Amino acid sequence: VGDFSGESPATLQSYGVTSPEPNKAGFARNCLLALRLLERDVRFVQLFNGSYAMGEGVGNWDGHKYIVDHYSIHAPILDQPAAALLKDLRQRGLLNDTLVAFVTEFGRMPTFQKGASGRDHNPKGFTVWLAGAGVKHAFSYGATDDFGFKAVEKETTIYDLHATILHLLGLDHERLSYYHNGIERRLTDVHGHVVEGILS
């Protein structure tokens, strides 16, 4: 599965596998591998971008200090391989029953962090996107205030996101529970509603 020697030069180039930038080439190989796994009916594939270095610095997306400098490094590593993967999933009909979830745990403040040219964490307003099976395409759902600080229109929570993803996987989040600390718990806690407005 991980042998790309049989791939055409055009495919390798479209993903960025041939990039001289090693982090981009590595992520590109992972995206191409993800395609191959999905073609072989692997049910869950997870990709990480920016995991090649931990802690503050240019190696990941944690842009507290120099957000413009750091993100101008990360964006080209992500963009081409991720776009090639989505394009191939669509062309091969795999998006019909594959849900792609592009997710983070928080956004960034709309203001600079004190003493730096980066931005602190912002859990009150950020974006995730979904593509593929069961999701409307080419539209936005919800919005932040004009300052970009807080969600104010069609506000959703991570619980709602989880409930929606589980729904798209054919699971009722209100019935799916696990035993923990002497109590049956739902994966979405006591919260979470399926976001019907994004479903096709």
Side-chain angles (χ1 to χ4, degrees):
V1 176
D3 179 8
F4 300 144
S5 60
E7 291 288 352
S8 70
T11 297
L12 298 176
Q13 187 172 5
S14 72
Y15 276 80
V17 172
T18 57
S19 170
E21 207 290 298
N23 292 316
K24 179 176 180 178
F27 184 64
R29 284 191 298 273
N30 287 344
C31 286
L32 190 52
L33 179 60
L35 175 68
R36 288 179 165 199
L37 292 171
L38 292 167
E39 286 178 323
R40 287 161 175 79
D41 295 325
V42 173
R43 293 177 60 88
F44 182 84
V45 177
Q46 187 170 11
L47 286 164
F48 289 95
N49 174 260
S51 61
Y52 45 85
M54 298 305 293
E56 180 65 34
V58 298
N60 63 37
W61 291 91
D62 204 16
H64 288 282
K65 295 179 181 176
Y66 309 105
I67 197 166
V68 174
D69 291 343
H70 292 181
Y71 283 18
S72 65
I73 293 170
H74 306 316
I77 293 170
L78 171 73
D79 286 352
Q80 181 183 349
L85 174 59
L86 284 168
K87 182 179 178 183
D88 274 351
L89 288 172
R90 183 177 181 192
Q91 285 180 342
R92 297 171 193 216
L94 292 169
L95 270 185
N96 295 333
D97 60 4
T98 301
L99 177 68
V100 178
F102 192 94
V103 182
T104 182
E105 75 271 44
F106 52 74
R108 290 288 168 185
M109 287 293 197
T111 55
F112 283 123
Q113 199 164 336
K114 183 177 180 181
S117 60
R119 300 184 182 190
D120 208 347
H121 302 171
N122 183 11
K124 296 179 183 286
F126 61 97
T127 300
V128 303
W129 59 261
L130 304 175
V135 177
K136 291 179 185 175
H137 60 276
F139 90 111
S140 296
Y141 184 89
T144 63
D145 56 25
D146 290 341
F147 193 47
F149 171 66
K150 182 180 179 182
V152 294
E153 179 185 317
K154 298 177 182 173
E155 182 179 349
T156 56
T157 67
I158 289 296
Y159 301 111
D160 299 329
L161 174 67
H162 291 168
T164 305
I165 289 174
L166 289 168
H167 171 78
L168 290 166
L169 294 174
L171 301 170
D172 182 348
H173 75 102
E174 294 185 350
R175 297 186 63 197
L176 187 63
S177 62
Y178 62 100
Y179 189 76
H180 179 71
N181 283 347
I183 191 172
E184 289 290 336
R185 296 183 179 270
R186 287 191 348 214
L187 291 180
T188 53
D189 200 6
V190 297
H191 313 283
H193 303 281
V194 174
V195 184
E196 301 284 349
I198 71 166
L199 304 180
S200 57

